[in-house]
Amino acid sequence: MPFLITDSAVELLMDTVPALKLCHFRGTPKHDTVYAYLRCYIVKGALHFSATCFDEAPLATTRFALALCPAARTDCYLLFSLCKSGENTLCVLDSATGVPLQTLSAPPARVVTGADEQGAYWCAESKISAAAFTAAFGAVPKAGMVYAGNVFLYDTAEAAFGAAFPVPQGEKAPTAKGFDTFTIVPY
């Protein structure tokens, strides 16, 4: 089932857009399995997103990553990876090898922490600019377009990970294997 991303003329409250939960886990992380989800929407070709992880004290090597590419592209994908400290990377990776092809500029993530009925969490908010999408794919995302992608929570020091969509056996996160559909819809 495709995940719907809203294309809006104005910024939205993150709580008003759907959440894509990480439900597929490969192995058991040393730090335990963590509940996490992504919320996102598009404004003027930029993808605004919020990554929430219910882990009060994640390891320094823990990363939350969003991988996307236009559905017609199979050669490369855009990967935005971040951690609780707010440190992030945005690059284009080769789909077959995972080798970085291009590094792009990304604004620092704004990180907040808190707790609710599900426990302690950290949340990082940032965006992938329209300029980054143009540099990577020659066009910005907009209503009517279809992207392929996945969302990962992984630790760079181990093989276990979680993903929003199933990843084939033997693959490590992040990977283009197991991408599913992201459909951009008008607000």
Side-chain angles (χ1 to χ4, degrees):
M1 178 172 204
F3 180 68
L4 303 179
I5 300 175
T6 301
D7 186 357
S8 174
V10 298
E11 290 189 19
L12 303 172
L13 293 172
M14 280 297 174
D15 287 345
T16 65
V17 297
L20 179 58
K21 297 176 186 175
L22 281 69
C23 299
H24 301 277
F25 297 92
R26 178 83 64 232
T28 303
K30 293 175 193 164
H31 193 63
D32 206 3
T33 301
V34 173
Y35 175 57
Y37 59 86
L38 170 85
R39 291 182 189 264
C40 60
Y41 63 89
I42 293 170
V43 173
K44 298 177 183 152
L47 181 83
H48 297 248
F49 68 89
S50 169
T52 303
C53 301
F54 284 83
D55 186 355
E56 184 173 13
L59 301 172
T61 51
T62 300
R63 309 292 293 179
F64 188 100
L66 168 62
L68 284 173
C69 65
R73 295 288 298 262
T74 58
D75 59 326
C76 65
Y77 63 96
L78 194 62
L79 181 75
F80 194 110
S81 175
L82 55 92
C83 63
K84 184 180 177 183
S85 70
E87 172 193 335
N88 61 44
T89 58
L90 178 61
C91 57
V92 178
L93 300 178
D94 181 279
S95 293
T97 65
V99 172
L101 302 173
Q102 181 180 15
T103 300
L104 302 167
S105 174
R110 182 178 76 88
V111 178
V112 296
T113 59
D116 66 11
E117 66 278 355
Q118 295 174 26
Y121 64 86
W122 63 274
C123 176
E125 295 181 350
S126 192
K127 71 178 179 178
I128 301 173
S129 69
F133 277 105
T134 300
F137 306 121
V140 298
K142 60 184 176 187
M145 295 179 82
V146 175
Y147 273 66
N150 208 340
V151 179
F152 304 99
L153 182 62
Y154 64 101
D155 189 312
T156 59
E158 64 178 298
F161 65 91
F165 302 113
V167 174
Q169 285 288 1
E171 295 296 325
K172 290 176 59 177
T175 179
K177 306 284 191 310
F179 274 11
D180 210 326
T181 306
F182 290 74
T183 303
I184 304 169
V185 296
Y187 185 62

